[in-house]
Amino acid sequence: MGSGRGRRADLRRIKVVDFYAETTVYMLAICVLASLGAAFLGYNLFRWLDRGRSQTAQTVPLAVVPVMILGPLTLLLGYGLFRINFLYPIRLDSNAWQAFQACLVPAAILFACSGLLVIVIRQVRQELFFWRQKTFVTVSKAMGLSGDYALRRLVIGKSVVEAWGKCLPWVFGELIIVEVVFNAPGVGYAVWNFAKMRQFESMGLPMILLAGMYLVMAFAIGRLNKWLGVKLASYA
């Protein structure tokens, strides 16, 4: 009898941790998509402004706002102006689409406050300035061809990978704060919640999941950097 209750408790604990992991994965995935979108928009904006030739990425007038400022401000403005509650509203029995929708606003705050938004845009400007000076772009223009397609892939791909490489520790550091501020039941929230309740024996699995996610993303970024290095060598 006791073993049956123990098994049920273990299954429920696994279900809860799985739900926490799903929330965090959604938030990180949205940040990756937002990085690609910001790189694409930044590339087209800088091409239109044609400022990549004379300026470096360091002059882009953007700043990173801490989560502890932007998060509560978003909650207050959303509810005060539009009567929208951005606190995480879903439960364990919510479906995947509801969980994904609930992650949109917290993920947007994470994207902005982790430095990803600023670094992606600065990298786009820097990479555009660097690659548009290369021979293949000059030759394409001389032949009356547009090197824009190849240049766009180079700039966006390199910028996103470089930005994630620089910001990954900040992303995971701010992730815990974002999940706590928005009451988002992610892995970081689970670690904080168990620590708050002094349930140290329950902290192990969420901490392992969080560290595992970090290591997987760090490995993926490293492999992408290596692959891009080989790919870009043909253009250099």
Side-chain angles (χ1 to χ4, degrees), residues 138-215:
T138 307
V139 170
S140 297
K141 289 181 178 179
M143 296 175 62
L145 303 173
S146 174
D148 188 63
Y149 177 67
L151 186 63
R152 182 170 65 244
R153 288 190 303 167
L154 285 172
V155 170
I156 291 176
K158 190 75 164 57
S159 299
V160 171
V161 173
E162 286 286 335
W164 272 91
K166 292 177 179 179
C167 295
L168 190 61
W170 291 102
V171 170
F172 275 80
E174 298 290 335
L175 173 68
I176 298 175
I177 303 175
V178 168
E179 290 180 350
V180 171
V181 169
F182 285 89
N183 199 37
V187 179
Y189 177 89
V191 173
W192 171 84
N193 193 44
F194 288 138
K196 182 186 69 171
M197 295 188 296
R198 301 294 193 270
Q199 295 182 4
F200 301 115
E201 70 282 354
S202 300
M203 290 175 59
L205 186 54
M207 288 178 66
I208 291 171
L209 278 174
L210 198 62
M213 289 178 183
Y214 181 88
L215 291 175

Side-chain angles (χ1 to χ4, degrees), residues 9 21 39 55 62 64 108 117 135 144 156 175 181 187 190 212 216 229:
Q55 300 292 330
L62 294 171
V64 179
L117 175 60
T135 306
I156 291 176
L175 173 68
V181 169
V187 179
V216 167

Side-chain angles (χ1 to χ4, degrees), residues 28-203:
L28 293 173
I30 292 170
C31 285
V32 171
L33 294 175
S35 302
L36 292 168
F40 179 80
L41 293 175
Y43 173 84
N44 286 285
L45 176 63
F46 291 132
R47 287 280 291 176
W48 180 65
L49 294 174
D50 197 29
R51 293 178 179 174
R53 293 181 180 274
S54 57
Q55 300 292 330
T56 65
Q58 302 302 320
T59 61
V60 176
L62 294 171
V64 179
V65 180
V67 172
M68 294 307 295
I69 294 176
L70 190 58
L73 185 62
T74 302
L75 291 172
L76 289 173
L77 291 178
Y79 190 77
L81 297 179
F82 306 107
R83 287 296 184 267
I84 299 175
N85 183 8
F86 289 127
L87 286 174
Y88 216 84
I90 69 172
R91 305 182 305 275
L92 285 173
D93 58 351
S94 300
N95 59 42
W97 176 240
Q98 289 173 322
F100 183 82
Q101 286 180 303
C103 285
L104 289 174
V105 173
I109 300 300
L110 175 62
F111 177 63
C113 296
S114 63
L116 274 173
L117 175 60
V118 172
I119 299 300
V120 165
I121 293 176
R122 287 179 177 172
Q123 283 293 138
V124 166
R125 192 165 190 174
Q126 181 176 307
E127 296 296 335
L128 180 59
F129 172 76
F130 176 80
W131 288 104
R132 73 189 305 174
Q133 312 298 325
K134 293 300 180 179
T135 306
F136 76 94
V137 176
T138 307
V139 170
S140 297
K141 289 181 178 179
M143 296 175 62
L145 303 173
S146 174
D148 188 63
Y149 177 67
L151 186 63
R152 182 170 65 244
R153 288 190 303 167
L154 285 172
V155 170
I156 291 176
K158 190 75 164 57
S159 299
V160 171
V161 173
E162 286 286 335
W164 272 91
K166 292 177 179 179
C167 295
L168 190 61
W170 291 102
V171 170
F172 275 80
E174 298 290 335
L175 173 68
I176 298 175
I177 303 175
V178 168
E179 290 180 350
V180 171
V181 169
F182 285 89
N183 199 37
V187 179
Y189 177 89
V191 173
W192 171 84
N193 193 44
F194 288 138
K196 182 186 69 171
M197 295 188 296
R198 301 294 193 270
Q199 295 182 4
F200 301 115
E201 70 282 354
S202 300
M203 290 175 59

